[in-house]
Amino acid sequence: MPHILFDKFNKELVSSSTNDEFTFNFVATSYNFTNKIRKTEYKICVNKENKEFLLTLKNKDEKFLLKSDKVTRVTPVQIIKDSLNEYAKAIEANILFSNTQNFNQKVKPTQKYLKDIDYFINDFNTEKEIQIEIGFGSGRHLLHQAKENPKVQFIGLEIHTPSIEQLLKQVQIQELDNILVVNYDARLFMEFINSNKVGKIFVHFPVPWDKKPHRRIYSNEFINEALRILKLDGTLELRTDSRKYFDYCSELLTNLNTGRITIDINKDLPISSKYEDRWKKQGKNIYDVILSCNQEDEDISLDFDFTFQEDINYDEIISIISTKAVVEDDYFIHIEDLFTIEGKENSGLIQVTFGSFDRPLSKYILIDNKKAKYFQDLPLPTSSNLKAHNKLKEMLKK
Ligand SMILES: C[S@@+](CC[C@H](N)C(=O)[O-])C[C@H]1O[C@@H](n2cnc3c(N)ncnc32)[C@H](O)[C@@H]1O
């Protein structure tokens, strides 16, 4: 992580100060909840080329550490290094150590088919039928399907980075152009896909999680989201060697009000995965449970309102707000820290982690003279994030 260590500085930079390229908008000081005193940690707001982000300044053992902030993101990393250097220069710091010099760095080639979740929220659009494979592992099945069905747009979901890298290599070697890969928890991904668009969802040999069933891919919520994004006659296809997982899913699926389910035992598929080969050698049964969608759903809107309409009295909030996490069934909120903006009334940053338990989000809420907004960009438009946002609004009203 880029950082600068120094022991003295000659100039205080607390309010905005501009040079040719950088503006330091404010300095905010951490507020310690436990002792109700100010800690020696600061957030410095930087603006460069319309990108706004924070730096962290910590004071320890009569030395100062200036580094990037973990929550606010900005690319390329050179912007952070330049701003650290610029701030140290502006306060005339006596530098003891720094790793922010500009070295020629090898830039990784962009992974054309590896997409982040923002791409699916803002840019993804296709006229082709979509098929999704959840937890593709070695990718044998996904690659086979993509080769056999060039007119279908495949989306592969995986959380294991080496599997993703392996698949991307094969996509390149086999010159396939109809697979997009996302490193994202499959249970949360479907919220970003429009209704009635997907032909098939494959879930092959999911981790059975016999001791922690709450971590399984299949749940009532997952099945309902799958049915929403599936087209009429689209299918959700489970293949598993685990009798317990098969029983669990069969029970969930047969509790649906409507639907068609087919079950096969030891069905042969044209391609066999690494796991499948292993289970077959051990003589285990393989179960297929296929749910066909017989409903059409209304489209969803990702146009969630993440604004704060009402004024927030920051100076009052700091003395009463609790750092105890609020935990509800499908979301939580944890206020991590508060940073009071120097020289300005009713202004500060609230550092908060919130949203779903599987994909928590860290953000700052910037309060500028009682007006609040999320610092940098808005939270991802998920139902858990929206519920957490609405609860936060309530908590900040007091
Ligand atoms: C037992 S492996 C099966 C891999 C492959 N489908 C096969 O048949 O060989 C399960 C895979 O699911 C992935 N996985 C587990 N939980 C996931 C989740 N919530 N979202 C996406 N992938 C997940 C794991 O990383 C792992 O690669």
Side-chain angles (χ1 to χ4, degrees):
M1 187 192 273
H3 63 271
I4 297 177
L5 190 70
F6 55 95
D7 60 353
K8 278 184 271 183
F9 60 95
N10 294 323
K11 254 178 143 179
E12 294 257 354
L13 262 202
V14 285
S15 55
S16 67
S17 158
T18 315
N19 73 16
D20 287 350
E21 283 184 78
F22 292 88
T23 306
F24 299 108
N25 287 335
F26 60 77
V27 176
T29 312
S30 172
Y31 182 81
N32 189 314
F33 295 101
T34 332
N35 306 323
K36 301 273 184 246
I37 52 151
R38 291 188 170 195
K39 277 192 298 191
T40 42
E41 181 175 336
Y42 309 88
K43 297 289 171 192
I44 298 143
C45 176
V46 187
N47 191 307
K48 178 174 162 58
E49 293 163 12
N50 293 329
K51 291 183 183 186
E52 207 169 29
F53 54 99
L54 298 173
L55 304 178
T56 299
L57 177 63
K58 279 186 175 176
N59 180 203
K60 205 177 161 219
D61 302 333
E62 294 176 9
K63 291 197 180 79
F64 298 90
L65 181 66
L66 182 63
K67 57 181 187 173
S68 56
D69 168 69
K70 282 190 205 134
V71 175
T72 55
R73 292 171 301 166
V74 65
T75 52
V77 74
Q78 196 56 48
I79 294 188
I80 296 174
K81 289 185 174 183
D82 290 346
S83 61
L84 291 169
N85 290 336
E86 204 54 45
Y87 190 75
K89 198 169 103 191
I91 60 171
E92 296 174 8
N94 184 37
I95 295 174
L96 303 173
F97 173 83
S98 100
N99 64 356
T100 53
Q101 281 17 315
N102 191 0
F103 298 115
N104 264 346
Q105 283 178 339
K106 267 196 180 166
V107 180
K108 265 196 176 178
T110 48
Q111 302 270 25
K112 194 169 157 201
Y113 298 115
L114 178 64
K115 299 291 181 192
D116 62 18
I117 198 66
D118 290 337
Y119 170 80
F120 284 93
I121 296 166
N122 300 316
D123 304 313
F124 178 63
N125 191 13
T126 180
E127 293 302 313
K128 292 180 181 172
E129 173 176 314
I130 300 168
Q131 295 190 13
I132 298 176
E133 175 148 355
I134 290 175
F136 53 75
S138 66
R140 277 194 212 168
H141 178 260
L142 181 56
L143 291 162
H144 169 82
Q145 289 290 344
K147 228 182 300 174
E148 292 295 303
N149 303 285
K151 291 198 175 128
V152 172
Q153 175 62 63
F154 287 88
I155 300 173
L157 302 175
E158 218 352 296
I159 50 172
H160 183 236
T161 313
S163 299
I164 292 177
E165 283 168 0
Q166 194 182 331
L167 182 94
L168 287 168
K169 251 187 227 155
Q170 283 303 319
V171 167
Q172 205 175 7
I173 292 166
Q174 301 185 27
E175 296 182 353
L176 295 167
D177 63 359
N178 58 337
I179 298 181
L180 294 174
V181 178
V182 202
N183 183 345
Y184 205 76
D185 190 323
R187 291 167 297 175
L188 306 168
F189 175 79
M190 293 189 293
E191 281 204 44
F192 306 116
I193 298 290
N194 281 336
S195 304
N196 317 309
K197 289 279 182 215
V198 177
K200 288 181 183 185
I201 303 170
F202 302 103
V203 189
H204 284 189
F205 301 94
V207 184
W209 290 116
D210 284 341
K211 293 207 174 112
K212 292 181 183 167
H214 66 278
R215 297 193 66 175
R216 288 174 173 157
I217 298 281
Y218 271 65
S219 66
N220 284 324
E221 294 75 32
F222 171 81
I223 294 167
N224 286 331
E225 268 300 270
L227 285 171
R228 182 186 64 73
I229 67 171
L230 282 171
K231 304 199 287 198
L232 202 59
D233 293 328
T235 49
L236 171 63
E237 307 200 358
L238 170 74
R239 189 165 171 85
T240 181
D241 58 288
S242 158
R243 177 70 205 217
K244 279 190 181 154
Y245 206 97
F246 164 76
D247 288 341
Y248 161 81
C249 290
S250 304
E251 192 181 334
L252 289 182
L253 295 172
T254 45
N255 277 333
L256 289 170
N257 287 334
T258 167
R260 194 173 65 248
I261 300 157
T262 55
I263 292 176
D264 282 279
I265 302 166
N266 294 327
K267 179 168 81 174
D268 268 334
L269 292 187
I271 190 87
S272 174
S273 81
K274 224 169 63 186
Y275 281 88
E276 184 165 345
D277 289 347
R278 189 190 301 163
W279 305 136
K280 276 184 183 158
K281 260 188 216 148
Q282 292 179 11
K284 281 180 97 176
N285 278 343
I286 309 283
Y287 306 94
D288 281 277
V289 185
I290 299 183
L291 171 71
S292 303
C293 173
N294 63 357
Q295 65 188 53
E296 284 203 304
D297 284 80
E298 289 195 0
D299 230 337
I300 47 149
S301 161
L302 290 181
D303 233 357
F304 291 168
D305 180 6
F306 283 113
T307 56
F308 295 88
Q309 301 291 355
E310 292 187 36
D311 282 2
I312 291 171
N313 197 329
Y314 177 82
D315 292 346
E316 271 180 30
I317 288 285
I318 52 172
S319 54
I320 52 167
I321 203 155
S322 165
T323 50
K324 201 165 163 261
V326 174
V327 180
E328 299 290 342
D329 283 350
D330 47 0
Y331 73 90
F332 77 99
I333 299 171
H334 183 211
I335 305 278
E336 309 268 356
D337 210 342
L338 295 170
F339 295 87
T340 306
I341 295 179
E342 301 297 334
K344 249 188 169 187
E345 261 180 42
N346 260 313
S347 301
L349 289 164
I350 300 176
Q351 187 183 350
V352 59
T353 305
F354 65 83
S356 73
F357 303 98
D358 300 307
R359 202 95 197 170
L361 185 70
S362 285
K363 298 257 9 134
Y364 290 101
I365 300 164
L366 171 66
I367 301 170
D368 184 358
N369 200 7
K370 293 193 180 177
K371 301 283 174 236
K373 64 171 189 181
Y374 286 101
F375 187 77
Q376 283 195 330
D377 40 12
L378 294 177
L380 282 181
T382 69
S383 48
S384 311
N385 288 350
L386 186 67
K387 283 180 196 166
H389 168 75
N390 287 335
K391 180 74 186 176
L392 256 171
K393 281 201 295 194
E394 250 175 60
M395 288 161 63
L396 299 178
K397 238 196 252 174
K398 286 171 196 158

